[in-house]
Amino acid sequence: QYYMGYLIADPDIDNREQKAIQSWFVDLGVVLETRRIQIDLEQSVTRLGYLYNRDILTELYNRRGLEEFFKEYFEECIKNSTGLAVIVFDMDGTILDTLEDLKNSTNHTLRLHHMPERTLDEIRSFVGNGIRKLIERAVAEGTSEHKIYEIQGDFMKHYGIHCADSTRPYDGVIDLIRELRNRGYKTAVVSNKADAAVQDLCIQYFPNLFDLAIGEKPEIAKKPAPDMLFAALKEIGVPLEHCLYVGDS
């Protein structure tokens, strides 16, 4: 009999010894396969480290080398996954350029509360972790929790009306999503942006292009916790291993 490329055939070996040898080869195979999977995971983590670098001053992840590595990594995902079924997108900074409207609503709210306004670059460094974090980073130092809550409420009122004043899809994004759907992939949005804004923007800019869109909700932990992604995949009916998530931070 063959075990891992070896032929075991000895008429002098009794049945018990034969079974022991077979069991040993099976155990060896399990150990080697486990180690192979571990090495693959370690290499994946290392390669992902090339894509993002944590800034120790801002506590944010800065994009680095994405253009160089993403194409290769995406093609490898496609090659190694025989059942890729759904591609999930972040919204701000990935499929929609929303920065100008976020800046305008933030500064409107800061003016309302007699606080210094923020530049576009500052707002860019504040976004990516939900509206609450945006407001916490934008307000004056020493602002109380109660005041932050009040300012966030005013921001939401203004942004709910003006969230699409200057917002536009990035060039080529709509064609990309249509092509993915033509190839049979499901598509979805999972964003830390407020859920009402996510729904409105998807309807306005991407009608009938997403199977599901989920924004920030009180009952679901927002990214980087995986809960929103898990909830989306559960609703779509696709296992995690058949999902590719695309985002900018």
Side-chain angles (χ1 to χ4, degrees), residues 21-233:
I21 292 174
Q22 292 176 1
S23 176
W24 183 85
F25 272 100
V26 170
D27 291 342
L28 177 61
V30 171
V31 170
L32 292 176
E33 179 64 11
T34 300
R35 179 55 184 157
R36 184 192 67 77
I37 294 172
Q38 183 182 3
I39 291 172
D40 286 347
L41 289 173
E42 290 172 352
Q43 291 175 343
S44 294
V45 169
T46 300
R47 294 183 66 195
L48 285 172
Y50 294 146
L51 301 182
Y52 294 98
N53 182 34
R54 190 175 184 85
D55 189 314
I56 60 174
L57 296 178
T58 64
E59 291 294 306
L60 297 175
Y61 283 96
N62 296 322
R63 185 163 50 186
R64 179 171 63 88
L66 188 61
E67 291 79 7
E68 179 180 351
F69 288 98
F70 180 73
K71 181 179 179 182
E72 176 188 351
Y73 205 79
F74 176 81
E75 289 176 348
E76 188 170 301
C77 288
I78 297 295
K79 177 182 176 182
N80 293 335
S81 176
T82 57
L84 183 64
V86 59
I87 300 175
V88 182
F89 294 89
D90 184 26
M91 178 168 275
D92 292 359
T94 300
I95 58 175
L96 280 181
D97 184 355
T98 57
L99 199 59
E100 189 69 28
D101 285 330
L102 288 169
K103 184 202 75 170
N104 292 340
S105 288
T106 300
N107 284 336
H108 166 83
T109 310
L110 292 174
R111 287 194 302 271
L112 195 64
H113 292 270
H114 310 290
M115 294 184 181
E117 296 184 26
R118 296 293 190 166
T119 67
L120 190 67
D121 285 340
E122 285 178 316
I123 297 297
R124 181 181 288 109
S125 71
F126 296 160
V127 299
N129 300 106
I131 297 300
R132 172 71 180 190
K133 282 295 182 183
L134 167 61
I135 300 302
E136 287 179 359
R137 292 161 179 163
V139 297
E141 186 176 355
T143 303
S144 68
E145 286 293 317
H146 176 76
K147 189 67 174 177
I148 290 174
Y149 181 81
E150 180 185 349
I151 293 171
Q152 181 178 348
D154 289 334
F155 172 92
M156 295 301 297
K157 292 175 185 176
H158 187 272
Y159 189 67
I161 299 171
H162 299 280
C163 66
D165 288 358
S166 301
T167 289
R168 296 290 181 272
Y170 287 107
D171 291 344
V173 163
I174 292 177
D175 290 338
L176 166 68
I177 297 168
R178 284 175 177 158
E179 178 63 20
L180 290 172
R181 295 181 68 82
N182 288 339
R183 296 189 183 193
Y185 296 111
K186 293 180 180 295
T187 54
V189 169
V190 171
S191 169
N192 278 345
K193 181 185 286 292
D195 185 65
V198 169
Q199 305 304 326
D200 289 344
L201 291 169
C202 281
I203 291 171
Q204 181 169 348
Y205 293 111
F206 307 103
N208 303 315
L209 287 181
F210 291 113
D211 296 281
L212 180 70
I214 291 182
E216 183 180 3
K217 300 178 181 180
E219 66 272 19
I220 306 178
K222 64 178 181 290
K223 299 179 301 176
D227 302 47
M228 297 174 73
L229 180 61
F230 292 165
L233 294 177

